Amino acid sequence: MNIGIVCYPTFGGSGVVATELGKALAAKGHQVHFISYSQPARLDFFNPNIFFHEVSIYKYPLFEYVPYETILASKIVDIVKQYKLNVLHVHYAIPHASAALMARSILSEQGIHTPIVTTLHGTDITLVGKDPTYEPVVSYSINHSDAVTAVSESLKKDTYANFHIEKDIHVIPNFIDFSRFVKQKKEHFKKAIAPQNEKILVHTSNFRKVKRIEDVVKVFALVAKKIPSKLLLIGDGPERTHIELLCRESGVCDKITFLGKQDQIEEILSVCDLFLLTSETESFGLAALEAMACEVPVISTDSGGIPEVNIHGVTGYLSHVGDVKDMAANAVKILKDEKVLKKFKANALKQAHAFHINKILPKYEKVYDEVVTGRKKTRK
Ligand code: GMT
């Protein structure tokens, strides 16, 4: 099948899911065409089945804000015709789904049928999408896509709660490629980070407010009082400066390292003992799943779809948003006893296998097949 994937080119979240999905589809023999405003972060190699089409911005003095949606729709029309795409899979509703609908209408007038699969990822529904400035277009785009998927049951529920949706939403959870995310022997890393054999806690994110990274620092400060430990903060974003200042006031600054954006995240996760995810809301928590695949248990909030990934008392613990004392107590419970830590690490790996890419990929292929053959025509 010739598949168009429209996504953000970002380091984490929906961009990574879209990229990893496209790579896996290409490995199975599909031809995959990525359409984005720059090269997706994890797409830095040659594969004869993978193509990247950059949406280049045409600037004009009148446009204070570049009409990206228009440029994207035009690009989609061009690529669908040129490469005879069978289906378009758009990741993150805003503005990818509405741009794809516009492209579908244009193509349809030229006798070209191009079904659209929209995957909802999280903030496109729970944060940004439900705001009245976006809601009518997001509702319309969901209702008029040929198929809609959400990355967790929780996100599906939130979508029905926040929008007027008259459409089936298939839950297809995020996934892990175990050929990449596997614990590796990186003793030299461990020695460099924790020379006294301290425990290593880690957090990775895009450093947005929704992640509540100040809670990561607060939890760590409490844990460090009881257990010799280090904290790695990986990623970058708008909150980084504020968090660096907070660290300096926390009294544990010398035990915290900011690593910035990292490409080979699995190598660092391989030496870590505990992953901290303190988000206000999280539709799935892919970063936690990646940690679990590298045998790292998770201390997290119980918001959104996280409980579908991190199992309380098995792969880690769940606490209410903002309850840093509970999170710290849970972290200590796991870290203070080697046997307990070992058990949680093994459980984390086992749970991650439930999200093996080989189990999830066929679910997307089935949806593509249904919309392409029209076997399940769900458009309103
Ligand atoms: O976490 C972010 O802010 C990025 C965002 C995205 O769409 O790029 O992530 C969302 O999608 C991920 C992949 O499906 C999920 O694992 C994240 O939980 C979700 N983020 C939120 O819901 C806050």
Side-chain angles (χ1 to χ4, degrees):
M1 210 180 265
N2 295 344
I3 303 161
I5 292 187
V6 181
C7 64
Y8 284 104
T10 45
F11 258 82
S14 59
V16 161
V17 173
T19 312
E20 295 296 342
L21 175 65
K23 281 155 68 174
L25 288 164
K28 278 186 94 172
H30 298 285
Q31 203 180 88
V32 181
H33 294 260
F34 286 94
I35 303 172
S36 188
Y37 57 75
S38 72
Q39 172 123 336
R42 292 189 185 178
L43 205 66
D44 51 358
F45 58 91
F46 172 74
N47 178 313
N49 282 340
I50 294 180
F51 301 80
F52 168 60
H53 309 281
E54 185 169 318
V55 183
S56 35
I57 309 295
Y58 180 102
K59 287 195 178 136
Y60 184 70
L62 179 67
F63 302 146
E64 192 176 341
Y65 305 103
V66 173
Y68 181 69
E69 201 170 326
T70 305
I71 303 169
L72 175 60
S74 299
K75 187 76 183 179
I76 293 172
V77 169
D78 179 50
I79 301 302
V80 167
K81 286 166 74 175
Q82 179 67 22
Y83 295 94
K84 302 192 175 13
L85 302 191
N86 305 107
V87 62
L88 269 173
H89 187 175
V90 302
H91 291 260
Y92 206 90
I94 309 166
H96 300 154
S98 43
L101 291 190
M102 170 62 89
R104 188 183 67 191
S105 295
I106 296 167
L107 290 159
S108 164
E109 284 197 340
Q110 299 173 25
I112 301 166
H113 171 61
T114 319
I116 298 166
V117 178
T118 295
T119 291
L120 308 173
H121 278 273
T123 48
D124 46 353
I125 296 300
T126 56
L127 214 67
V128 192
K130 70 179 184 189
D131 188 275
T133 46
Y134 292 101
E135 184 279 324
V137 174
V138 174
S139 288
Y140 182 88
S141 307
I142 293 173
N143 279 324
H144 290 79
S145 293
D146 295 82
V148 178
T149 77
V151 298
S152 65
E153 290 292 342
S154 154
L155 185 60
K156 174 178 174 175
K157 231 171 85 198
D158 282 343
T159 308
Y160 284 125
N162 289 310
F163 299 87
H164 305 289
I165 302 301
E166 297 153 25
K167 209 172 172 64
D168 282 350
I169 298 178
H170 312 257
V171 173
I172 304 185
N174 289 332
F175 50 83
I176 277 288
D177 178 358
F178 278 91
S179 66
R180 172 173 176 185
F181 280 91
V182 62
K183 191 178 173 80
Q184 304 170 17
K185 273 219 158 311
K186 290 279 165 193
E187 283 314 307
H188 56 295
F189 271 27
K190 184 153 180 95
K191 265 220 146 58
I193 301 161
Q196 310 297 327
N197 208 22
E198 296 96 330
K199 292 289 180 263
I200 303 175
L201 289 79
V202 62
H203 168 84
T204 73
S205 75
N206 49 23
F207 280 60
R208 300 225 176 99
K209 253 198 162 25
V210 68
K211 306 291 173 184
R212 293 181 66 102
I213 306 176
E214 62 276 18
D215 285 357
V216 171
V217 176
K218 288 177 191 166
V219 170
F220 176 69
L222 292 171
V223 172
K225 281 186 187 164
K226 303 249 166 83
I227 309 256
S229 45
K230 295 283 176 109
L231 173 64
L232 301 179
L233 291 172
I234 304 173
D236 213 329
E239 285 293 286
R240 169 131 178 216
T241 312
H242 162 63
I243 298 299
E244 291 214 28
L245 291 175
L246 184 79
C247 275
R248 287 172 209 164
E249 292 158 10
S250 69
V252 285
C253 193
D254 58 324
K255 297 179 171 63
I256 301 175
T257 309
F258 287 81
L259 291 177
K261 286 181 184 166
Q262 294 284 331
D263 279 332
Q264 307 301 323
I265 194 88
E266 64 281 10
E267 295 186 351
I268 305 168
L269 290 170
S270 291
V271 301
C272 294
D273 297 292
L274 209 53
F275 188 86
L276 302 178
L277 187 65
T278 52
S279 305
E280 176 90 40
T281 156
E282 199 71 63
S283 69
F284 184 88
L286 181 63
L289 179 60
E290 290 179 345
M292 286 160 62
C294 296
E295 302 178 33
V296 184
V298 176
I299 294 296
S300 70
T301 55
D302 56 2
S303 72
I306 301 177
E308 295 170 45
V309 181
N310 183 24
I311 311 300
H312 187 69
V314 179
T315 60
Y317 285 102
L318 302 164
S319 304
H320 296 317
V321 174
D323 193 346
V324 291
K325 280 190 184 152
D326 192 53
M327 290 184 234
N330 289 333
V332 171
K333 230 187 293 182
I334 295 178
L335 293 174
K336 73 175 183 202
D337 183 331
E338 280 305 325
K339 263 203 207 140
V340 173
L341 178 59
K342 206 170 158 203
K343 182 78 195 144
F344 273 82
K345 284 186 172 184
N347 290 347
L349 177 62
K350 191 168 169 224
Q351 165 73 349
H353 270 278
F355 299 89
H356 196 299
I357 193 163
N358 294 347
K359 291 184 183 139
I360 308 300
L361 194 65
K363 294 181 196 279
Y364 278 116
E365 287 179 297
K366 184 165 177 273
V367 172
Y368 297 159
D369 199 48
E370 282 171 1
V371 294
V372 168
T373 59
R375 268 207 298 275
K376 199 171 176 186
K377 201 143 184 61
T378 50
R379 195 183 312 171
K380 266 178 67 186

